[in-house]
Amino acid sequence: MQHSFNFPFQIGTGSEFISNKAFYNAHELKKGDILIFGSDGLFDNLYNQDVERISQSATADNKDLREFGQSLLQTT
């Protein structure tokens, strides 16, 4: 939810919006799934397919989490 492009609703203390208007999404996870948490610093600078490509490359190369994070940072 957002007011307009790049102007999201702020939900929390002191906000006119209440938390029951927050977006909620549920997913069923399986062993081997990868969750990527990031802020706009990541997702404003990389397309979803770039994040997917980097994560597939990192898992194929058996990189640890630190190396995977560095791969994302070097791309942004």
Side-chain angles (χ1 to χ4, degrees):
M1 294 176 50
Q2 59 184 12
H3 296 284
S4 61
F5 176 74
N6 208 25
F7 183 33
F9 290 120
Q10 299 296 312
I11 299 175
T13 306
S15 172
E16 65 184 80
F17 298 101
I18 52 176
S19 61
N20 68 356
K21 292 187 178 185
F23 182 74
Y24 174 80
N25 204 341
H27 298 277
E28 194 168 316
L29 302 176
K30 300 177 292 223
K31 184 177 181 176
D33 285 350
I34 299 171
L35 297 177
I36 300 173
F37 295 90
S39 68
D40 56 350
L42 174 65
F43 296 109
D44 281 355
N45 291 292
L46 289 176
Y47 293 107
N48 290 344
Q49 59 265 31
D50 293 328
V51 175
E52 182 180 4
R53 178 183 47 78
I54 293 165
S55 65
Q56 287 174 342
S57 173
T59 55
D61 295 342
N62 292 318
K63 291 183 178 177
D64 67 20
L65 290 176
R66 183 169 297 183
E67 290 176 301
F68 173 58
Q70 288 297 323
S71 296
L72 286 172
L73 287 172
Q74 290 170 356
T75 307
T76 57

